[in-house]
Amino acid sequence: MGLSIADILDRKDVSWMDGSGPDSDIVISSRVRLARNLYKFPFPHLLNDTTGAEVMQQISQAVNRSKDKVIKGLELVTLDTLSALDRKILMEKHLISPEHAIASEPYRGLMVDKKGSLAVMINEEDHLRIQCLLSGLQLNQAYKYAQTVDDALEKLLDYAFSEKMGYLTACPTNVGTGMRASVMLHLPAMALANQISSVVQSITQVGLTVRGMYGEGTEAEGNLYQLSNQVTLGQTEEDIINNLWVITVQLATQERNLRERLQKEIKYQIEDKVMRSYGLLTNARLLTSAEALSLLSDVRMGIEMGILSPVKREVLNQLIVAINPSHVQKAAGRELEPRERDIKRAEIIKEKLLAS
C-alpha cells in the first residue's frame, strides 16, 4: 500500500475538513464530480474480469505516461488490496461512494492525492469518476482542480463522447457535461423553524436536489444536507456551478437570519438546547451515531452563535467523520459490537471537545 492511501486511512482529517473557505459557518464542503467513460468498452455494470482489467490497464498506463504534475501526485490503488474496513473508512471520508466501498474486484480502484482533496474512482458506476472536495463554498476552485485531472487524462484516453449529447455515461441523468456539483450544508435553524420541507420543494423547482450526507439514497442526519444539480444535459459546467452557488449563498443567508431571529425570540430555549447537548456530549457514556450527530449539530450552532466558547470548525468537521462505525473501530484497533462502538464513540467525542 502506497504512502498516500496509508496516510489518509490513518489521518483524522482530509482537505475538506479543515474549516476554511467562504461561508464555512454554514457550508461544510464543496464537491465537483465528473463522470467519464472509455470508448468501445461496456459500462462498469457490464464489465467482466477480462474487460475490467483492460479498462484498468488503459487508465493505469495513461497515469504512468502523463507528465501533468497533478496526475503525478495521485496514487492508484485497486480495491482488492484494501480491507473491507479500509474501504468503509474511505467512504466515511467521502473519498469513495457507498457502492464502491462494498466492491473488491481487482479492476475497481481509486486514485487519490495526499491531501484527500482529489479522488478518482475507477469502474464505479462509470469508468472514471473524477472528484474534487474542498472546505467551505469553493465550487469554482473544486471544478478547476477536477478539470485539470480530466484534461490531462483526456489527452491520453479515448473518452466516450457524442457531438450531439456530450459525454456518455452509465446513468442517463449524467449525460452531457457528466458533472455533478454539490455542497454540504448545516441548516439547524431551518430545521427548528420547520422550513426544510418548503426549502426542498422550492429547490427542486430550480433543477437542484437535496439528499443526505452520503448522497443518493441516504437520509439527512444532524441537520446536514447535500445540495446538488439534477440536470447535466443542455447546461454548461459554468451554468451548473453558478446556479448552485447562487442558491447556496441564498440558503446560507437565510440560515444566518433565522439563527439571529431565534436568538432574539427564544433566547433561553436555544441556549438551553445548546448547553444540554454539550453536557451530554461531554458526559455521556453511550452514544449512537445518529444521536451524536444530532447533539453535535446543536453544539455547532451554539458555537457559531456565540453561546459556547469557540471550538475550531476543523475539530467539528473531524467529529462528523470520526463518530462513524468504521472510524470508531479503527480508533479502537479491533472490530466492535454495536454497544462497544457506542461506548468508544462517546469517549472519542468527549476527548475531542474537552481538548479543543
Side-chain angles (χ1 to χ4, degrees):
M1 189 184 300
L3 177 62
S4 300
I5 297 289
D7 182 51
I8 283 171
L9 289 168
D10 289 337
R11 275 167 47 191
K12 295 178 182 178
D13 65 333
V14 289
S15 182
W16 69 265
M17 299 181 200
D18 67 17
S20 64
D23 299 293
S24 54
D25 57 326
I26 307 293
V27 185
I28 308 296
S29 62
S30 299
R31 185 191 70 168
V32 170
R33 189 197 71 208
L34 303 173
R36 302 290 186 257
N37 288 282
L38 305 191
Y39 181 60
K40 291 186 177 178
F41 283 96
F43 291 128
H45 67 281
L46 294 174
L47 291 174
N48 55 39
D49 288 347
T50 301
T51 54
E54 290 175 2
V55 171
M56 176 62 78
Q57 184 180 34
Q58 286 209 11
I59 294 171
S60 179
Q61 288 175 347
V63 170
N64 291 332
R65 295 202 319 267
S66 178
K67 296 180 181 179
D68 184 85
K69 289 183 180 180
V70 176
I71 295 293
K72 289 298 183 186
L74 298 175
E75 179 191 357
L76 190 156
V77 61
T78 55
L79 296 189
D80 65 320
T81 63
L82 300 174
S83 68
L85 179 64
D86 285 345
R87 294 196 300 273
K88 288 177 182 176
I89 286 172
L90 291 171
M91 183 269 290
E92 291 173 357
K93 283 184 163 75
H94 294 268
L95 297 178
I96 63 174
S97 65
E99 294 76 18
H100 218 42
I102 61 175
S104 60
E105 295 90 342
Y107 59 82
R108 299 187 191 272
L110 171 70
M111 291 189 289
V112 65
D113 70 350
K114 291 184 178 181
K115 291 182 179 180
S117 55
L118 283 168
V120 183
M121 287 184 285
I122 301 172
N123 287 329
E124 196 244 20
E125 186 175 74
D126 296 284
H127 296 142
L128 290 163
R129 287 205 155 183
I130 303 162
Q131 79 163 20
C132 180
L133 194 56
L134 299 175
S135 180
L137 184 54
Q138 299 193 74
L139 286 167
N140 285 310
Q141 294 88 336
Y143 173 52
K144 178 182 175 182
Y145 295 148
Q147 188 180 37
T148 298
V149 175
D150 183 39
D151 289 346
L153 290 176
E154 193 165 16
K155 292 176 181 177
L156 299 166
L157 294 169
D158 191 6
Y159 281 170
F161 183 83
S162 163
E163 291 295 336
K164 181 180 179 181
M165 302 293 291
Y167 291 102
L168 304 181
T169 56
C171 180
T173 59
N174 290 327
V175 170
T177 62
M179 183 166 95
R180 291 281 178 175
S182 65
V183 290
M184 191 193 304
L185 305 172
H186 181 229
L187 305 174
M190 286 191 193
L192 281 171
N194 295 316
Q195 293 188 8
I196 292 297
S197 58
S198 61
V199 166
V200 170
Q201 187 176 3
S202 62
I203 281 172
T204 303
Q205 293 173 357
V206 294
L208 301 177
T209 186
V210 179
R211 297 188 174 107
M213 190 162 47
Y214 290 98
E216 190 171 1
T218 61
E219 296 293 327
E221 291 186 302
N223 298 311
L224 293 169
Y225 302 88
Q226 192 177 119
L227 177 65
S228 65
N229 64 298
Q230 280 186 307
V231 179
T232 64
L233 187 62
Q235 289 187 320
T236 67
E237 289 87 349
E238 290 74 17
D239 290 338
I240 293 169
I241 293 290
N242 186 63
N243 186 38
L244 180 58
W245 184 87
V246 168
I247 298 299
T248 300
V249 170
Q250 290 176 355
L251 289 175
T253 301
Q254 186 177 344
E255 173 68 21
R256 291 190 195 99
N257 290 340
L258 271 173
R259 291 181 188 184
E260 186 176 343
R261 195 186 87 191
L262 290 172
Q263 200 163 17
K264 289 179 180 178
E265 294 179 354
I266 51 171
K267 173 182 170 63
Y268 290 106
Q269 292 95 316
I270 292 293
E271 290 181 355
D272 184 69
K273 182 178 181 63
V274 169
M275 298 305 291
R276 283 176 184 271
S277 293
Y278 184 78
L280 279 171
L281 288 174
T282 53
N283 289 281
R285 301 298 302 275
L286 293 162
L287 285 169
T288 66
S289 56
E291 183 183 13
L293 272 175
S294 178
L295 297 171
L296 283 168
S297 173
D298 295 340
V299 167
R300 186 186 201 104
M301 179 180 68
I303 290 167
E304 298 292 357
M305 292 171 68
I307 297 170
L308 287 171
S309 299
V311 174
K312 289 182 179 180
R313 288 172 187 157
E314 181 180 15
V315 172
L316 297 172
N317 291 347
Q318 287 173 7
L319 279 171
I320 292 173
V321 172
I323 63 174
N324 281 282
S326 298
H327 274 80
V328 171
Q329 292 185 119
K330 178 83 170 180
R334 64 183 179 89
E335 188 173 341
L336 301 175
E337 296 295 326
R339 177 56 63 91
E340 291 178 308
R341 289 202 300 268
D342 292 347
I343 294 170
K344 184 64 179 177
R345 182 178 293 110
E347 292 173 0
I348 290 169
I349 294 171
K350 180 179 181 178
E351 180 183 353
K352 273 257 185 200
L353 287 178
L354 293 180
S356 60

